Amino acid sequence: MATSQANQLLKIQYPQYLFYSQVKSANLHAVSVADISIHHQPRQRLQLLLAKPNPDKIEQDFIDLCQLFQEQGVKLNDLGVTGSLLLGAQNSNSDIDLVVYGRKSFYQLRELIRLLIVEDKLQQLDESAWLESFQRRSCDLSYADYVWHEQRKYNKALIQQRKFDLNLIERSAEQESISYQKQGAIIIRARVIDAQYAFDYPARFIIEHQDVAEVVCYTATYTGQAEQGEFIEVSGQLEVSSAGMTRILVGSTREAEGEYIKVVAHL
């Protein structure tokens, strides 16, 4: 469902799961802590899958991926599994969704993936996989721009023709008590002066601009989109905090229609 459809469905049928955040000035899908009955834990699930007898095809691809990483010195206790495999809801066409705990481990694993692609132990996404990914994202970039940005992130690849991707889990430095008010849509160009939080959730890019201090992104499409020193064009919602800080929010909805981050010049 599109964001607006999902919000409407919850409003009518399950209003207890629709929460308006004053901090983010947005409707969120949320569950009261008192209503949580099961906490699926990625680290624990990874270990259970590695020890599972008679794994299915996707589980075996996952096990092979973990063993490949382990052979290269990766500590599997820094990894977890999320998505359909976490829930046991996978099918034959499912992707493998990994989480990496800690920024240092995440960046090391990205570099390892790059090297394993060079050695052909893993493969870059093929044309059909890139096209499927692009169509699912429905982003405001051309197909060529989308693939160019994605190919250099090294947070996704193929193992035995099955796509997997990495997601960073890092304790956020964001001050959740700070509230922001949307001021309307804006497009700017600026130089990225700090991209160390580019793969966080939310992704953050500190920029050099006379009016805006940073870009914050809540959609995975633009996670890791730019590197330090690059010039980017950003389309999103201008926000101002109660303390007068300004930022641009990209991903005010899951679709992020009309919102994007793209590199327009390199060092």
Side-chain angles (χ1 to χ4, degrees), residues 62-74 76 112 116 119 121-122 158-159 164:
F62 166 77
I63 292 169
D64 292 346
L65 179 62
C66 288
Q67 289 176 341
L68 177 61
F69 287 159
Q70 198 168 32
E71 289 167 3
Q72 306 298 318
V74 174
L76 295 186
L112 176 60
L116 290 173
E119 297 171 4
K121 294 178 180 177
L122 297 172
L158 297 177
I159 180 167
F164 71 90

Side-chain angles (χ1 to χ4, degrees), residues 98-227:
L98 295 175
V99 292
V100 186
Y101 294 91
R103 190 175 291 106
K104 181 179 178 182
S105 296
F106 178 82
Y107 279 91
Q108 288 174 340
L109 192 52
R110 283 180 63 225
E111 175 61 16
L112 176 60
I113 288 171
R114 186 187 69 80
L115 294 173
L116 290 173
I117 289 173
V118 171
E119 297 171 4
D120 201 35
K121 294 178 180 177
L122 297 172
Q123 292 76 43
Q124 277 275 23
L125 274 64
D126 56 23
E127 185 75 16
S128 63
W130 279 126
L131 189 58
E132 180 186 349
S133 178
F134 174 70
Q135 291 171 340
R136 187 171 66 249
R137 288 293 175 188
S138 300
C139 63
D140 273 60
L141 297 179
S142 69
Y143 173 67
D145 278 344
Y146 173 78
V147 173
W148 181 85
H149 285 86
E150 291 297 307
Q151 281 183 327
R152 66 189 199 143
K153 295 179 184 179
Y154 295 105
N155 63 343
K156 56 179 68 64
L158 297 177
I159 180 167
Q160 288 142 198
Q161 294 303 304
R162 189 180 304 279
K163 186 169 81 71
F164 71 90
D165 59 47
L166 309 180
N167 299 279
L168 169 63
I169 301 295
E170 180 71 49
R171 185 178 295 277
S172 176
E174 183 181 12
Q175 298 298 315
E176 292 295 338
S177 60
I178 299 176
S179 61
Y180 285 84
Q181 295 299 316
K182 292 182 174 60
Q183 305 296 308
I186 188 173
I187 299 176
I188 67 164
R189 288 192 173 192
R191 187 170 72 93
V192 177
I193 58 175
D194 188 346
Q196 65 176 307
Y197 308 112
F199 287 93
D200 284 45
Y201 186 82
R204 293 175 58 218
F205 302 89
I206 312 303
I207 59 174
E208 187 176 64
H209 188 273
Q210 60 182 6
D211 299 318
V212 182
E214 66 177 1
V215 177
V216 177
C217 179
Y218 279 96
T219 175
T221 304
Y222 305 112
T223 293
Q225 194 77 344
E227 299 173 3

